[in-house]
Amino acid sequence: MTMINWTYCQINFQILDDGRGYSDANGLSNRQMWIRFIAQSENKTIRKSVKLPIHTTSGTPLAPDKNNLAQKQVLVELIDQLKWDGWEEVDSGGAEWWQVRLRRETPFQEPEKLKPKLRNFLPAVMLAITIILFALAGLSTFDGLNTYRHYTREDLNLSTSSASPQVEQMVVINFNSRELDPLQDMLPADLAAEDPADAKTVVWINCDTESNWRGSTTDCEATVIDWPNQQILDEKLIEGEFTLHPEDEPQSEPTEYRNDQAILDYLTRLPRK
């Protein structure tokens, strides 16, 4: 009988605020607070739901409300996303209504093989590694290794169109990574380009994160381009909200909290040809 190894995750919740301090006896009236659900596996956060405002009336516990239809809906959406990733629900053992447990099969990993000693060949090995690194550094800038790199060439002479922006099927490019942005998979089917490597409308998403020990703010600039005519159709700055760092995540680097829903709303409202 074949034994299956499972990886488990559980949905918890977080309470976030806008970073302002207390100002009255009740301690909550001067703060805007939100709640969101997070899926965690082995102390790592693997998915998060959208944020929802939460009442901060004195005496009201800051916890998920089973009677709040919006909270139940975003929880269902988070579970659906996890199922799309291959997770399946399991019995939660009488836990709270939001403490859903899921599992998925752990991929098989080959046992690590013993590495041969390179002591006697160290000079030759170091030379070979140096040559390979230089070769890879040169190849990494070659457009053929990245289907979408031609969309982010900084020497493009883009002109600004004076006409009202009208977009066609588009491709969304993360200008920092020079790759497809995750928003591409969130576009409606009639707006996403069938072949992202040959799109008529290109959108650059260029984000900047300001972070301190308490939290981060990420602002993103969306640049909409008529690619065949090399014209900028529209530009918009989508400002992010200050978000506290989760306690379970190390903060060695700034954490990016983009307002993806606002960016998506902006793109879907653009006039279309």
Side-chain angles (χ1 to χ4, degrees):
M1 182 177 180
T2 303
M3 296 293 294
I4 299 178
N5 292 323
W6 298 99
T7 299
Y8 290 85
C9 76
Q10 177 171 308
I11 295 181
N12 297 310
F13 74 94
Q14 290 178 321
I15 300 296
L16 309 171
D17 66 21
D18 59 4
R20 290 183 292 181
Y22 299 101
S23 66
D24 63 1
N26 295 328
L28 293 174
S29 63
N30 193 37
R31 311 180 82 176
Q32 174 64 55
M33 308 191 77
W34 299 270
I35 187 171
R36 71 177 173 195
F37 298 99
I38 57 174
Q40 295 177 304
S41 176
E42 298 178 352
N43 295 324
K44 294 181 180 179
T45 299
I46 56 176
R47 269 198 179 274
K48 302 174 184 177
S49 74
V50 298
K51 297 187 300 182
L52 292 174
I54 188 171
H55 293 296
T56 57
T57 306
S58 178
T60 302
L62 298 178
D65 181 2
K66 191 173 184 179
N67 297 320
N68 189 306
L69 296 180
Q71 292 183 19
K72 295 178 72 174
Q73 179 61 33
V74 298
L75 177 61
V76 169
E77 292 174 357
L78 176 60
I79 294 172
D80 288 342
Q81 291 172 350
L82 291 167
K83 289 181 177 179
W84 182 263
D85 293 338
W87 296 87
E88 62 181 37
E89 285 191 56
V90 296
D91 185 10
S92 299
E96 295 287 346
W97 65 274
W98 44 267
Q99 289 179 314
V100 180
R101 281 177 56 81
L102 304 98
R103 69 178 185 181
R104 70 178 177 186
E105 186 175 348
T106 304
F108 175 76
Q109 294 182 346
E110 291 284 350
E112 185 176 353
K113 297 180 180 180
L114 294 177
K115 298 180 180 179
K117 293 183 179 179
L118 300 176
R119 182 181 306 169
N120 297 331
F121 306 96
L122 187 57
V125 170
M126 293 301 295
L127 178 60
I129 291 175
T130 302
I131 294 173
I132 292 172
L133 289 177
F134 274 108
L136 290 177
L139 287 174
S140 65
T141 61
F142 180 60
D143 288 358
L145 294 182
N146 184 341
T147 309
Y148 314 108
R149 184 175 290 275
H150 69 287
Y151 286 138
T152 58
R153 295 183 63 91
E154 298 185 28
D155 59 348
L156 294 174
N157 184 21
L158 298 173
S159 59
T160 302
S161 174
S162 59
S164 175
Q166 289 186 320
V167 301
E168 301 182 67
Q169 290 186 316
M170 64 177 55
V171 61
V172 184
I173 302 295
N174 187 304
F175 200 79
N176 296 318
S177 67
R178 308 301 174 96
E179 296 281 357
L180 276 182
D181 192 272
L183 283 171
Q184 182 70 25
D185 294 331
M186 301 170 63
L187 290 174
D190 61 337
L191 187 59
E194 288 187 20
D195 182 1
D198 189 27
K200 301 300 183 184
T201 301
V202 175
V203 180
W204 289 347
I205 301 297
N206 193 357
C207 297
D208 180 60
T209 298
E210 293 186 2
S211 179
N212 59 33
W213 65 274
R214 300 188 68 247
S216 298
T217 302
T218 300
D219 297 334
C220 295
E221 183 176 14
T223 304
V224 183
I225 305 167
D226 177 351
W227 197 252
N229 295 317
Q230 294 291 284
Q231 286 190 327
I232 296 177
L233 299 177
D234 198 31
E235 294 177 286
K236 184 174 181 62
L237 178 66
I238 293 93
E239 297 182 351
E241 299 176 348
F242 181 83
T243 304
L244 294 180
H245 296 309
E247 294 181 358
D248 60 340
E249 293 184 7
Q251 297 306 317
S252 57
E253 296 183 0
T255 301
E256 184 178 80
Y257 300 113
R258 304 188 333 178
N259 194 342
D260 281 355
Q261 188 57 53
I263 301 174
L264 189 64
D265 290 344
Y266 161 67
L267 295 178
T268 55
R269 286 197 298 264
L270 288 170
R272 305 186 193 181
K273 289 186 178 180

